[in-house]
Amino acid sequence: MRTAPSLARYPAPLIALHWLTLALMIGVYALIQWHDALPKGSELRTLAKAWHETLGVAVFALVLLRLPLRWWLGVPPALAGTPRWQHRLASSMHWALYGLLIAAPLLGYLSLNAKGTPVPFFGLQMPAFLGPDRALAGNLKEIHEAVGTLGYWLIGGHAAAALVHHYGMRDGTLARMGWARTQPASPPPSRA
Ligand code: HEM
Ligand code: HEM
């Protein structure tokens, strides 16, 4: 983990990418839920699935940009006074979320490749990295769905933790991922 001790909050490009990823993830999940609820064979169902895939590929593109930027720009150190176990837990959670942002789209993408179905991306057709293989396609789809379902729990836990920090503990955790000039309820710790 590359920390930049002088930072009080995440660098602006990382903040933008974090919230843009959240917006895309809401779209990715909402579209697949909507797809499941629509009648089989309907045009809207096909459209919902195609946009699930397109936005999922966009999530992957953003994480590919975000990780090198994170390494280059650095991230703020743990808030002073944070117990070590809590910082470790938060870090593990963050890396699990990065794992989700990489694994879910990759598995979805490869499952379509193995099925021999084109992968859409804003009207373009993405290249295939696997040849058709029905059995593999079925397995990749199942793992993709399991990872996607696990994502609800990871994201739910992560968002709940951020809100508990903000409204319960009233520390500056949420402010580190925002642009607002408002100070956290308790004075920010010195990082001398
Ligand atoms: C962050 C990215 C993604 C997440 C979190 C995600 C999550 C999910 C979830 C939760 C499901 C439904 C599971 C269920 O109904 O039990 C699903 C289904 C599916 N996803 Fe994704 N997905 C992502 C990206 C992608 C991408 C990039 C592709 C392909 C390019 C893709 C292709 C599919 C397919 C083919 C299905 C099965 C739809 C069906 O039932 O026919 N997904 N995904
Ligand atoms: C309402 C939803 C969300 C809230 C309130 C939220 C809030 C936050 C906050 C406050 C941080 C900084 C934590 C710290 O400084 O220790 C953070 C970091 C992070 N969030 Fe979220 N988040 C949300 C949704 C998401 C989603 C959907 C994802 C991706 C699936 C995500 C992935 C991450 C990752 C990977 C980090 C670590 C950043 C790094 O150190 O590089 N977040 N989030």
Side-chain angles (χ1 to χ4, degrees):
M1 162 107 68
R2 177 162 137 59
T3 51
S6 60
L7 291 179
R9 64 180 66 201
Y10 280 82
L14 296 183
I15 296 176
L17 286 168
H18 175 271
W19 296 114
L20 186 55
T21 302
L22 167 64
L24 288 175
M25 290 297 272
I26 292 173
V28 162
Y29 277 115
L31 283 160
I32 205 65
Q33 289 299 332
W34 189 41
H35 160 272
D36 288 352
L38 287 165
K40 282 197 173 147
S42 73
E43 224 172 272
L44 267 184
R45 187 176 159 102
T46 311
L47 197 67
K49 189 164 165 248
W51 278 97
H52 167 79
E53 292 160 2
T54 292
L55 297 190
V57 173
V59 164
F60 188 63
L62 288 192
V63 78
L64 288 189
L65 175 70
R66 184 169 165 186
L67 285 173
L69 262 184
R70 182 188 197 278
W71 179 84
W72 186 42
L73 300 172
V75 296
L79 275 179
T82 307
R84 211 176 156 79
W85 67 265
Q86 210 179 87
H87 180 55
R88 287 223 174 121
L89 185 68
S91 278
S92 318
M93 188 65 151
H94 293 160
W95 287 111
L97 286 163
Y98 279 124
L100 170 76
L101 296 176
I102 294 169
L106 207 56
L107 288 159
Y109 191 114
L110 294 176
S111 80
L112 289 190
N113 287 174
K115 200 175 163 197
T117 310
V119 176
F121 187 62
F122 294 105
L124 301 173
Q125 191 175 315
M126 298 297 284
F129 300 104
L130 288 179
D133 180 335
R134 262 180 79 110
L136 180 63
N139 288 337
L140 288 171
K141 181 176 171 230
E142 264 184 34
I143 307 173
H144 170 71
E145 292 183 347
V147 169
T149 305
L150 180 70
Y152 285 115
W153 294 97
L154 282 178
I155 295 169
H158 168 71
L163 297 177
V164 166
H165 273 281
H166 190 67
Y167 293 108
M169 297 155 77
R170 297 178 162 266
D171 63 16
T173 303
L174 190 59
R176 283 148 59 92
M177 200 44 106
W179 290 282
R181 286 186 175 274
T182 49
Q183 292 295 316
S186 50
S190 123
R191 276 189 205 84

